[in-house]
Amino acid sequence: DVVMTQSPLSPPVTLGQPASISCRSSQSLAHSDGNTYLNWFQQRPGQPPRRLIYKVSNRDSGVPDRLSGSGSGTDFTLKISRVEAEDVGVYYCMQGTHWPYTFGQGTKLEIK
Amino acid sequence: EAQLVESGGGLVQPGGSLRLSCAASGFTFSSYWMHWVRQAPGKGLVWVSRINNGGGYTTYADSVKGRFTISRDNAKNTLYLEMNSLRAEDTGVYYCASEVFAYENYWGQGTLVIVSS
């Protein structure tokens, strides 16, 4: 299975400051069809996951443009330009290029 | 508004069986691949199974292969997960989700399965 490794696992963040989460895969996520199947999800306590970014850099409807995704191959990043209170939760990257789909271990975003 | 509602979870003894359902509304269910994802208490997300939009193609995580069966009834807009020979490690919240790489992606609120004697 493709191993997805996120870092950091619990970054210190301050309201109004930027934050960044790295996600590395054990195999390239570039698919032969030309797409790269890498998504980012946010999960708040007691809630299901919510997709934020799909196929590396496409923001979902309703996701603020403070959040952005980038990367290629095996290295991907989720960036928050200015952290707001609503950003708290656990963030997961996931790959869908190879079956079984796999998630990273999660990065817990807490406001200091 | 699109909605997925899971049901069928509960407490079951090791070796027992459960059938989960996921009722879809507000979107064209028959056009979407569908998935089951589970989350053990306090842990991360794990993919369990997927099924194509017509129901003729399915895949499973190795941990559930041969024990779980995913299926769908497009006439009833419902996704199913038949779970047999349940083990303690199958305990968790089970989410149904629509195709995660489509333009729109939907998740249910989840149903809790507890496997314990």
Side-chain angles (χ1 to χ4, degrees):
Chain A
D1 296 0
V2 175
V3 177
M4 305 295 287
T5 304
Q6 292 181 225
S7 63
L9 296 184
S10 184
V13 295
T14 305
L15 286 174
Q17 294 301 304
S20 180
I21 302 171
S22 170
C23 175
R24 290 187 172 172
S25 58
S26 60
Q27 299 178 38
S28 174
L29 301 186
H31 196 280
S32 56
D33 67 3
N35 290 303
T36 297
Y37 294 99
L38 186 284
N39 290 354
W40 289 94
F41 292 85
Q42 178 196 40
Q43 187 176 31
R44 294 175 174 140
Q47 294 293 313
R50 171 199 179 198
R51 195 181 69 180
L52 302 172
I53 303 283
Y54 64 99
K55 288 191 276 187
V56 181
S57 59
N58 297 279
R59 249 188 318 273
D60 270 275
S61 175
V63 174
D65 59 10
R66 301 182 290 105
L67 277 69
S68 63
S70 63
S72 63
T74 61
D75 289 334
F76 303 91
T77 303
L78 177 70
K79 291 183 179 176
I80 305 175
S81 60
R82 300 175 312 279
V83 172
E84 296 189 4
E86 66 177 19
D87 298 329
V88 297
V90 180
Y91 290 76
Y92 296 94
C93 60
M94 70 138 292
Q95 68 81 25
T97 298
H98 308 278
W99 182 258
Y101 296 173
T102 47
F103 289 91
Q105 69 270 56
T107 292
K108 189 171 186 178
L109 211 64
E110 293 178 302
I111 309 296
K112 297 295 182 183
Chain B
E1 180 189 355
Q3 194 172 20
L4 293 171
V5 179
E6 301 95 337
S7 60
L11 174 63
V12 61
Q13 292 189 339
S17 299
L18 277 177
R19 188 195 200 200
L20 306 184
S21 298
C22 170
S25 60
F27 66 102
T28 308
F29 177 74
S30 59
S31 296
Y32 284 76
W33 287 53
M34 295 295 295
H35 303 259
W36 287 101
V37 176
R38 70 183 177 190
Q39 187 168 36
K43 302 295 184 182
L45 300 162
V46 176
W47 230 278
V48 173
S49 183
R50 66 178 176 178
I51 187 168
N52 73 340
N53 53 323
Y57 178 79
T58 60
T59 50
Y60 300 90
D62 284 346
S63 59
V64 307
K65 203 174 295 182
R67 300 188 299 122
F68 289 13
T69 302
I70 189 172
S71 62
R72 65 192 298 163
D73 185 334
N74 286 342
K76 294 183 178 179
N77 288 339
T78 303
L79 175 73
Y80 302 101
L81 186 67
E82 187 78 38
M83 304 188 296
N84 297 316
S85 302
L86 282 162
R87 306 166 180 167
E89 55 265 35
D90 296 319
T91 292
V93 176
Y94 284 71
Y95 297 103
C96 65
S98 67
E99 178 48 50
V100 290
F101 296 104
Y103 180 71
E104 299 282 355
N105 171 234
Y106 312 112
W107 289 69
Q109 289 295 315
T111 187
L112 177 62
V113 172
I114 300 174
V115 184
S116 175
S117 55

